[in-house]
Amino acid sequence: MATTVTRAQALAYRMAAQGLHRAQRHTRDLDVLALGVQDTRGSAQLALAARLPEPPELTEELALLWSVRGAPHLHRRRDLTALAQHLWPRDEKDAFARLGSERKPLKAAGISSLDAFRAAATALREAVPAPMPKGEVSAAVTALLPPAYSYDCRTCQSRHIYGSLFQTIGLFAGLRHDVAGPALLLRPLENRPPIPETSAGATPLIVDYLRLHGPATRAEAAAYLGTSQSALAPVWPTDLAEVTLDGAQTWLPADALPQLRTPPKTQVVRLLPPLDPYLQARDRERLVPDAARRKEIWKIIGNPGALLVNGELAGTWRPKSTAKRLELTVTAFQPLTKSQQQELQREAELVATVRGLPEVRLIHA
């Protein structure tokens, strides 16, 4: 029999599952790292800060690289071998679903999607024996592959490997990102795992998605992993609990049901960066029922950060930095209580600390 829960229970559960109560003390122990923390311009460090009692340090235990859906994620190095095995496409249907616009030219050239993954990953690994700028890597791997893997770029009048394929194979090629300088460098991972011979199946990744973002549907899990429902069907977990949420059939790991039924009720105010794990759930209509507010949080270009108040996405924020001060403009969707404003001030100070600035000015728009 399915368990029936409310939207409020689901959101409260997700906050706890994703560590937003700051119950964990060390970066390496954060549950959200099971799937990685997506990053853009240092946002992953802010996401970690929203979950830890002290500002995080990005140690050698972590590595930034292209992984899930070809997007840059921060991962624990110890997880990378298993992650590559579970992310590797299970079959041709799965590989085809994970590719983007390059599917048609590859198919027209008689190249299967699964063969494309292996050939491109092998070429990319060969192209980067030492740290190299991203542009040089793109040119080098393009030269190693047949023309069907690339396109003519009108902007720079040269030929490039398809961008989505380039990034989707980053983990399998064993490359990590070095963003310390002005330009992105790609460098071989130390003790990088081999290109998988076969897939170990995405079952553990589905379980991780449901544990962190559930209760969720099959379609939502597939969308997060960048594949199709039919491709995931053979590896769909069997030990799940069925949950009725807003009248829909959703799923959750069975051992997470007690926490879903009675999630923590601690008051939480957080400043979530763009691409924070809490914003990565594929049921945006549930996270933010108001369509106009959804458009404020998830934009086509230039997403703001999100103000989280007790599970609800209650506003947006944008930073502006000077040499010594962070100006943080918050647009709340509803009035905040005095205690919430005090918590917001503390979170703004934390954002400034993570960004290396001694002062913060909080502006209420």
Side-chain angles (χ1 to χ4, degrees):
M1 179 180 294
T3 298
T4 300
V5 297
T6 65
R7 172 180 174 273
Q9 283 176 290
L11 297 187
Y13 165 81
R14 290 182 192 181
M15 278 203 309
Q18 294 190 24
L20 286 162
H21 291 281
R22 290 185 171 138
Q24 294 171 302
R25 302 192 62 82
H26 300 291
T27 302
R28 63 179 179 271
D29 298 327
L30 290 177
D31 292 331
V32 289
L33 286 170
L35 289 175
V37 177
Q38 193 168 342
D39 182 76
T40 178
R41 297 185 296 277
S43 65
Q45 192 170 7
L46 290 175
L48 301 181
R51 292 162 170 82
L52 292 169
E54 299 292 336
E57 293 184 7
L58 301 185
T59 68
E60 288 300 312
E61 294 178 288
L62 304 175
L64 180 66
L65 67 160
W66 290 316
S67 60
V68 184
R69 304 180 311 280
H73 284 72
L74 194 66
H75 290 279
R76 290 179 291 236
R77 288 177 185 262
R78 69 182 191 227
D79 296 340
L80 293 178
T81 298
L83 180 65
Q85 293 169 343
H86 292 303
L87 268 184
W88 186 258
R90 181 177 180 273
D91 52 24
E92 179 63 18
K93 178 190 293 185
D94 192 12
F96 186 82
R98 291 173 192 252
L99 294 179
S101 59
E102 62 270 35
R103 289 183 294 203
K104 291 183 178 180
L106 287 169
K107 186 176 181 180
I111 301 170
S112 76
S113 297
L114 199 53
D115 286 343
F117 266 84
R118 183 165 302 283
T122 301
L124 182 55
R125 181 174 288 234
E126 179 183 342
V128 189
M132 293 171 59
K134 178 185 174 183
E136 292 182 15
V137 173
S138 176
V141 72
T142 300
L144 291 172
L145 290 167
Y149 288 80
S150 56
Y151 69 101
D152 291 315
C153 178
R154 295 180 181 178
T155 302
C156 62
Q157 299 297 307
S158 62
R159 197 163 179 86
H160 297 297
I161 182 174
Y162 285 100
S164 58
L165 176 61
F166 183 32
Q167 296 187 194
T168 298
I169 59 173
L171 168 63
F172 309 126
L175 301 182
R176 69 177 178 89
H177 297 181
D178 185 341
V179 294
L184 170 62
L185 290 180
L186 300 178
R187 63 172 64 228
L189 275 164
E190 298 77 7
N191 301 314
R192 57 183 173 179
I195 298 172
E197 291 294 328
T198 58
S199 173
T203 304
L205 304 182
I206 298 170
V207 172
D208 287 335
Y209 178 81
L210 297 176
R211 188 178 301 281
L212 293 169
H213 302 282
T217 66
R218 293 173 184 262
E220 290 157 5
Y224 180 86
L225 292 174
T227 188
S228 65
Q229 291 187 68
S230 59
L232 284 189
V235 294
W236 189 255
T238 57
D239 54 345
L240 299 177
E242 184 179 348
V243 178
T244 300
L245 175 59
D246 294 339
Q249 181 189 51
T250 62
W251 305 94
L252 191 76
D255 61 1
L257 269 181
Q259 189 173 40
L260 174 66
R261 291 189 181 111
T262 55
K265 296 181 179 179
T266 307
Q267 301 296 297
V268 170
V269 175
R270 298 287 183 266
L271 288 171
L272 305 180
L275 306 178
D276 185 271
Y278 194 82
L279 306 174
Q280 292 295 318
R282 270 23 193 184
D283 58 347
R284 293 178 178 178
E285 294 81 4
R286 182 170 293 119
L287 280 174
V288 183
D290 185 278
R293 290 178 176 177
R294 279 200 304 275
K295 291 180 180 179
E296 290 300 311
I297 294 173
W298 292 285
K299 296 182 174 292
I300 296 175
I301 298 176
N303 285 345
L307 170 64
L308 180 73
V309 179
N310 303 331
E312 295 287 351
L313 295 174
T316 62
W317 64 275
R318 290 190 180 276
K320 181 180 179 181
S321 301
T322 64
K324 294 184 178 180
R325 186 171 71 178
L326 173 69
E327 291 187 353
L328 200 151
T329 301
V330 174
T331 304
F333 295 150
Q334 66 269 330
L336 302 177
T337 66
K338 184 176 180 180
S339 64
Q340 289 168 351
Q341 292 178 10
Q342 292 171 341
E343 286 295 318
L344 176 58
Q345 178 64 39
R346 284 191 282 270
E347 293 301 308
E349 292 168 0
L350 174 62
V351 172
T353 298
V354 172
R355 285 175 169 257
L357 296 170
E359 299 178 13
V360 62
R361 179 189 176 204
L362 188 58
I363 302 170
H364 295 275

